Amino acid sequence: MSRNLVAENWRLERSRYLLVGNKCTECEKYYFPNVQICTDCNISKLDEYVFSGKGKLIEWTKIYEVAKGFELFAPLYYGIIELEEGVRVAAQITEVTDDTKLIPGIKTQMVFRKLFEDGSQGVLTYGFKAEPQI
Amino acid sequence: MNPLMDKIAIIGYDMTKFGDLYHLGLGDLTSLAITGALNNAGLDRSEVEALYVGNAGSGKFLGQEHLGCLVATESGLDCQSFRIEASGASGAVAMRIASHGILTGYIDKAVVVGVEKMTSFSKSSDTQTALSTSLDSIWESAMGGTLAASFALMTKAYARKYGLTDEQRAQVAVKNHNNAQKNPRAQFKNKITAKNVLGAKMLADPLTLFEGCASSDGAAALVLCAPEIAESYDSEPIYLRASKQAHAPLALQRRESLSEIQSIKKAADSGYKQLNISPKDISIAEVHDVLTIAEILAIEGLGLVELGQGGIATIEGKTALDGDIPVNTSGGLKARGHPIGASGVAQAIEILEQFKNKAGDRQVKEINWGITQSMGGTGGTSVVSYYSR
Ligand SMILES: [Zn+2]
């Protein structure tokens, strides 16, 4: 990856580490990742909101041909999670011992893990993964 | 402007072979395709008023940007030039933008070229990384996602909703390889079976390597002009009658549904409405089968088959060369090859060859309307274009 991961990791630290997003003060819509403007209301007045990390599995796959930086984790489970506030995120699914139990609708909890490592820049990137609650 | 009367004439076309073209650089590929298309139209280089280059990733694959200028230089064109990027839809969007230039009267004659040079990477993870840039790089790719993984999620969601067998999916690849055997320019002319497809290395469960596209090099070019002057170049020009583009959120997780690609239907429906035609009027279609599931979602989005019936229609032969609605007679992205930025233009060329009875063994009889569907990434951008005599 040729982008500046140090700057990116700094900018995204609170979203990736603490699940910080925001909530529109007008229509109460939740945003993750956080936004500067609620385009539904055309206002910039949004309150910071920390997501609980509780959610449910929407869909998943097991990736065998991973992108650069993810070789250590291959094959990896990846899916879409709907947080209890209604916002959906994509994430790796961790601690999977039996993937026949990965059924859409099961409860998940976001946990803090190493996401990938960039060999060329020597940068480790951390963030959330989803852990099934079975 | 009258949408029923507005049309663009396509008076010349040509493309290189698609595949591992180690000996040809990006400038060589575009020069070959453009020169071929100009010769086909009988147009001098000096008559070209504008050049539109569709390219998805020369910066990633080659470390080269500023492609408008590069391609103009290498093709011997001294005119204004533009590079258009919309991932897999780059070529199709370039064709639309060129058409807009002609429709407004700003120019009369334009060259569109789509090009990609992808075979420079030797490691699979480098290629997966490059392809992943069509996704949301922070909230999909950096979370571990890949293009194949996103289509795998769509496959599973679709299968849960409508039912879809592995064999139905595999038949998309089998059919497209059958068609490619009859296309001299295709990258893969070998016959494959469902067993080959399903037994190949897994990309992302349940999609295998043989359900996706290999890296490919190639270029495809069109010469477009205003309809008033078309017949001095081509006595029976084929017309681009409409080209529609629609949007869906970039990241899959921000879309309402995983079991359909809403942008395809949005683009298609607005075209049918403008032309006052229906899917029943379509004789042939070239669609963006970047993975097998994508063709199934595309034929449903275009309305060529009912929602949820794409897999069954495919395995029953409805989309085969001799079926009710032949889809990807060229071999599609899967077997003709998918040099990303070139695909949208190559789709148009297949429709032109079919209209002009130049498709050889893959010729379809009695064509009223041809349609092409191209998309970027997982369908964040979709372009649907309509062609007739
Ligand atoms: Zn709001």
Side-chain angles (χ1 to χ4, degrees):
Chain A
M1 275 170 250
S2 53
R3 60 186 199 265
N4 186 338
L5 289 173
V6 177
E8 182 182 293
N9 285 350
W10 178 81
R11 177 171 69 83
L12 299 171
E13 191 179 76
R14 282 166 54 75
S15 328
R16 276 195 182 138
Y17 289 16
L18 303 168
L19 277 174
V20 176
N22 51 11
K23 187 179 174 187
C24 177
T25 53
E26 184 72 33
C27 68
E28 305 201 322
K29 183 173 170 179
Y30 291 98
Y31 284 95
F32 186 88
N34 70 313
V35 296
Q36 302 299 316
I37 307 281
C38 175
T39 50
D40 288 355
C41 305
N42 200 30
I43 62 168
S44 59
K45 207 167 173 306
L46 292 103
D47 289 335
E48 185 173 288
Y49 179 82
V50 182
F51 286 82
S52 70
K54 289 194 182 71
K56 64 175 181 187
L57 181 66
I58 297 297
E59 195 52 87
W60 66 276
T61 179
K62 188 176 183 181
I63 308 180
Y64 293 83
E65 292 294 312
V66 296
K68 217 156 88 181
F70 295 91
E71 294 91 339
L72 264 181
F73 305 107
L76 62 85
Y77 290 96
Y78 171 83
I80 293 179
I81 306 297
E82 186 170 297
L83 300 175
E84 63 179 358
E85 292 84 355
V87 172
R88 289 184 180 186
V89 295
Q92 288 179 52
I93 305 167
T94 188
E95 319 299 338
V96 178
T97 47
D98 176 4
D99 65 22
T100 62
K101 292 186 175 150
L102 292 180
I103 295 159
I106 59 163
K107 286 189 165 53
T108 57
Q109 175 65 46
M110 290 304 178
V111 293
F112 184 68
R113 293 284 189 279
K114 184 162 84 178
L115 286 183
F116 65 89
E117 54 182 67
D118 183 274
S120 62
Q121 290 183 51
V123 175
L124 296 180
T125 294
Y126 290 86
F128 57 80
K129 295 186 183 181
E131 187 180 315
Q133 307 291 296
I134 7 183
Chain B
M1 285 197 286
N2 180 346
L4 284 173
M5 292 300 289
D6 286 334
K7 55 186 183 183
I8 298 295
I10 309 177
I11 54 170
Y13 62 87
D14 198 18
M15 59 187 274
T16 65
K17 281 189 83 156
F18 284 1
D20 289 338
L21 307 176
Y22 298 110
H23 58 297
L24 297 171
L26 190 145
D28 300 322
L29 294 166
T30 45
S31 175
L32 286 167
I34 290 172
T35 303
L38 289 172
N39 289 342
N40 181 240
L43 203 71
D44 282 338
R45 283 184 167 71
S46 61
E47 295 180 79
V48 178
E49 294 165 77
L51 168 69
Y52 298 81
V53 181
N55 174 265
S58 64
K60 304 182 292 266
F61 290 114
L62 306 169
Q64 177 71 58
E65 305 286 16
H66 203 178
L67 278 203
C69 181
L70 181 144
V71 173
T73 306
E74 297 302 319
S75 310
L77 295 174
D78 182 15
C79 64
Q80 57 191 323
S81 59
F82 312 90
R83 181 262 181 98
I84 289 121
E85 188 280 314
S87 179
S90 299
V93 177
M95 183 175 75
R96 293 190 73 233
I97 306 291
S99 302
H100 294 164
I102 294 171
L103 280 177
T104 59
Y106 174 58
I107 51 170
D108 281 333
K109 301 183 245 8
V111 167
V112 180
V113 66
V115 63
E116 211 73 51
K117 176 88 189 150
M118 300 168 67
T119 60
S120 45
F121 290 150
S122 52
K123 274 168 61 189
S124 160
S125 61
D126 284 328
T127 306
Q128 291 300 329
T129 304
L131 297 176
S132 296
T133 58
S134 66
L135 309 175
D136 183 323
S137 69
I138 293 170
W139 298 109
E140 289 183 301
S141 311
M143 303 308 284
T146 62
L147 187 68
S150 291
F151 278 103
L153 294 174
M154 288 192 253
T155 305
K156 292 182 75 172
Y158 178 97
R160 284 184 216 282
K161 187 164 178 184
Y162 298 111
L164 177 71
T165 66
D166 291 345
E167 287 70 24
Q168 288 169 352
R169 247 174 34 238
Q171 185 59 28
V172 171
V174 170
K175 166 189 68 82
N176 290 346
H177 272 253
N178 284 342
N179 293 349
Q181 287 182 295
K182 301 181 168 77
N183 182 354
R185 296 194 195 92
Q187 181 168 7
F188 298 108
K189 293 200 253 314
N190 57 317
K191 200 176 169 62
I192 58 168
T193 64
K195 208 175 153 196
N196 298 146
V197 174
L198 299 172
K201 184 166 75 168
M202 196 69 89
L203 290 176
D205 183 47
L207 301 174
T208 73
L209 185 67
F210 283 13
E211 294 185 65
C213 298
S215 291
S216 186
D217 304 329
L222 302 172
V223 181
L224 308 184
C225 79
E228 303 84 63
I229 59 171
E231 287 184 22
S232 58
Y233 297 98
D234 183 343
S235 58
E236 290 181 319
I238 304 304
Y239 295 98
L240 176 62
R241 297 289 304 278
S243 182
K244 295 293 182 179
Q245 184 172 335
H247 162 90
L250 179 63
L252 214 53
Q253 66 266 23
R254 293 180 63 172
R255 300 192 194 158
E256 280 169 25
S257 166
L258 299 179
S259 56
E260 61 194 299
I261 298 175
Q262 296 93 334
S263 60
I264 301 175
K265 185 172 164 48
K266 259 193 267 177
D269 286 351
S270 73
Y272 290 132
K273 192 175 168 206
Q274 172 174 317
L275 296 166
N276 199 20
I277 60 172
S278 83
K280 288 192 174 59
D281 296 306
I282 304 300
S283 315
I284 46 168
E286 287 285 306
V287 307
H288 192 91
D289 57 320
V290 65
L291 283 140
T292 50
I293 182 69
E295 176 164 321
I296 290 167
L297 297 175
I299 58 178
E300 293 183 8
L302 295 173
L304 302 177
V305 301
E306 302 258 316
L307 205 58
Q309 299 297 304
I312 296 163
T314 303
I315 209 143
E316 286 179 348
K318 197 176 174 199
T319 57
L321 202 50
D322 58 356
D324 297 349
I325 169 72
V327 173
N328 282 332
T329 55
S330 67
L333 273 53
K334 165 66 187 153
R336 179 195 55 225
H338 180 39
I340 308 172
S343 280
V345 179
Q347 289 181 326
I349 290 179
E350 177 65 12
I351 301 290
L352 293 167
E353 295 219 301
Q354 290 284 355
F355 268 117
K356 289 183 167 289
N357 264 310
K358 287 184 176 167
D361 293 342
R362 60 184 200 286
Q363 185 65 49
V364 174
K365 293 187 180 68
E366 289 173 38
I367 302 168
N368 294 315
W369 285 89
I371 196 170
T372 56
Q373 176 268 330
S374 179
M375 64 189 181
T378 52
T381 299
S382 279
V383 176
V384 178
S385 304
Y386 301 77
Y387 312 77
S388 76
R389 286 202 170 81

